[in-house]
């Protein structure tokens, strides 16, 4: 419930539930987080509901930005998330990822950084955005 407020999306599911859906429901990967009480980082997904034609125009650029973040291409990720926010300024996940990409572009993490954010980091990014 805390994450739905941070990302301002209706339904968020964990990686295990997403795998069980086996592609039967459209999803958007939101993040990989360290969740309190768990050793392994957890990927979380937004369930994309409603008419596909009415979905955010930011989705393609958002997906490209997530891919670029995973490949540590910070400045290109910033550009992708800027395009996502320009396409849909109300898309909170795009806004949050843009802020994060800007931080990473200014202060790249060490080479051994695993790309995982703690919930406190997500809350901090939400406050900054």
């Amino acid at each position: 419930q805390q994450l739905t407020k941070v990302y301002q999306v209706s339904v968020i599911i964990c990686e295990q539930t997403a795998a069980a859906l086996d592609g039967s429901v459209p999803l958007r990967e939101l993040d990989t987080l360290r969740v309190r009480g768990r050793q392994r980082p957890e990927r979380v997904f937004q369930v994309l509901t409603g008419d596909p034609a009415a979905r955010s125009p930011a989705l393609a650029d958002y997906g490209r930005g997530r891919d670029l973040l995973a490949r540590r291409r910070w400045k290109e990720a910033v550009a992708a998330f800027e395009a996502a926010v320009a396409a849909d300024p109300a898309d909170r996940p795009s806004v949050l990822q843009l802020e994060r990409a800007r931080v990473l572009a200014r202060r790249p993490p060490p080479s051994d950084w695993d790309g995982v954010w703690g919930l406190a980091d997500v809350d901090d990014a939400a406050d900054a955005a």
Side-chain angles (χ1 to χ4, degrees):
Q1 187 177 11
Q2 174 189 0
L3 285 179
T4 59
K5 290 177 185 174
V6 170
Y7 289 98
Q8 296 179 7
V9 299
S10 299
V11 181
I12 295 178
I13 60 173
C14 68
E15 190 170 357
Q16 184 178 7
T17 302
L21 292 172
D22 197 26
S24 64
V25 175
L27 304 173
R28 166 168 56 166
E29 182 177 340
L30 291 175
D31 230 329
T32 304
L33 305 170
R34 243 180 218 90
V35 180
R36 228 175 292 153
R38 296 195 183 173
Q39 291 284 28
R40 189 173 79 74
E42 196 60 44
R43 290 184 334 158
V44 294
F45 298 83
Q46 173 189 6
V47 175
L48 299 172
T49 57
D51 178 11
R55 289 197 186 119
S56 171
L59 291 176
D61 289 317
Y62 177 92
R64 192 166 53 83
R66 290 285 299 160
D67 178 61
L68 290 163
L69 281 182
R71 294 188 288 146
R72 304 176 67 89
R73 293 168 60 180
W74 317 124
K75 291 179 183 176
E76 291 171 80
V78 167
F81 289 123
E82 285 175 341
V85 171
D88 185 356
D91 184 54
R92 185 70 170 162
S94 294
V95 171
L96 292 174
Q97 292 295 329
L98 174 57
E99 282 301 313
R100 188 180 296 174
R102 285 177 173 161
V103 167
L104 293 168
R106 281 192 306 268
R107 292 188 318 264
S111 60
D112 64 345
W113 182 60
D114 61 5
V116 177
W117 295 74
L119 288 179
D121 298 320
V122 172
D123 286 339
D124 290 346
D127 291 342

